[in-house]
Amino acid sequence: MSRSKTAPKRPAKRPTKNPVKNSVMPTPRGASTADDTQATIRGLRSKLKAAERRVAELEAAADTDFLLEIPNRRGFERELTRAVAYMKRYRASGALIVLDVDRLKPINDSFGHAAGDEVLKAIAATLTRQIRASDVVGRLGGDEFALLLWNLSETDAKAKAAAFEQAIDELSFVFRGQHVTAGASVGVALLGAQSDSGRAMEEADAAMYVRKASRRHEPRIRLVSN
């Protein structure tokens, strides 16, 4: 009697492991959206700061005389208005001085506007050197300047005005071999708690014209000997 051979049992197959190495877990959709929002906010803030800087630059340019790099009429009147408001609140005092160059037009006519610009630059530099850091010098337009001076008595303000006149009278320029002087006439208005910026400007301007008449400058260029 033959025995039937039973086939050997094969070992059961173990499940194959296929680990994914260095796999990147997907970012939750909500986290990605939050990151994008934050990046957008940072970008908008950066653009806003750049726009604010540009606005400040444009405002400063609008208040500045492009030739002399001092406040123009708009900028000076703004400073004067602020100063008067401060004086009213804190009962401070000061002086407004308006200065008119006496012979700028004949200098322009005889030697050109480049010569006139040189005169204006020298006058602006002269005035700036003689004021304090808290004071303001501006160009109202053409050949007219204005100065805002803090904490001056009437006597001190008039003495300062005379010093400005003298300093500008002593300036001398050489154009086409000729020595030329310009000169200036100055008017003063005192500032205090009762002041109004518009009226103060009118008073200083009127005083300047009275002073100009008293100096009796001839409408021509005065030459100094070579």
Side-chain angles (χ1 to χ4, degrees):
M1 183 175 178
S2 63
R3 294 178 180 179
S4 59
K5 296 183 179 179
T6 303
K9 293 182 179 181
R10 295 179 180 179
K13 292 183 178 181
R14 295 180 179 180
T16 305
K17 294 181 179 181
N18 294 317
V20 179
K21 295 182 179 181
N22 300 324
S23 61
V24 178
M25 297 298 292
T27 303
R29 186 175 182 180
S32 177
T33 302
D35 290 343
D36 292 343
T37 301
Q38 290 298 321
T40 301
I41 291 173
R42 287 193 296 269
L44 291 174
R45 285 176 176 170
S46 177
K47 290 180 180 179
L48 178 60
K49 289 181 179 179
E52 290 174 343
R53 285 195 299 269
R54 183 55 179 162
V55 169
E57 290 172 358
L58 292 173
E59 287 180 346
D63 287 346
T64 304
D65 184 272
F66 73 94
L67 175 65
L68 306 181
E69 297 183 349
I70 59 176
N72 57 17
R73 176 180 285 274
R74 180 175 182 267
F76 184 84
E77 288 182 345
R78 176 179 293 182
E79 291 296 325
L80 178 61
T81 299
R82 289 174 178 172
V84 169
Y86 181 92
M87 291 175 187
K88 287 182 178 180
R89 182 172 182 179
Y90 297 103
R91 305 194 69 80
S93 63
L96 169 64
I97 294 178
V98 171
L99 181 149
D100 188 80
V101 184
D102 290 320
R103 291 179 292 277
L104 185 64
K105 185 179 185 305
I107 291 175
N108 283 331
D109 293 343
S110 298
F111 302 108
H113 286 276
D117 289 347
E118 184 178 335
V119 172
L120 291 173
K121 289 178 181 178
I123 290 173
T126 299
L127 295 175
T128 301
R129 283 195 300 268
Q130 296 195 38
I131 63 174
R132 298 160 295 184
S134 59
D135 299 332
V136 181
V137 57
R139 183 187 181 190
L140 300 182
D143 56 2
E144 195 169 45
F145 292 81
L147 299 104
L148 169 62
L149 308 177
W150 287 88
N151 301 321
L152 289 181
S153 65
E154 181 176 1
T155 300
D156 291 337
K158 290 181 178 179
K160 199 68 177 175
F164 291 145
E165 280 189 355
Q166 181 178 354
I168 295 173
D169 284 346
E170 292 174 353
L171 291 176
S172 179
F173 308 88
V174 178
F175 301 125
R176 299 175 191 169
Q178 293 181 309
H179 290 264
V180 179
T181 63
S185 299
V186 174
V188 181
L190 298 179
L191 300 173
Q194 306 302 320
S195 294
D196 174 81
S197 59
R199 284 198 300 270
M201 189 71 77
E202 292 174 358
E203 291 173 7
D205 201 51
M208 179 271 294
Y209 280 109
V210 171
R211 176 61 178 162
K212 181 179 285 287
S214 70
R215 282 164 64 92
R216 297 180 181 177
H217 282 144
E218 297 180 6
R220 64 178 178 81
I221 302 172
R222 180 161 58 90
L223 300 178
V224 181
S225 59
N226 293 332

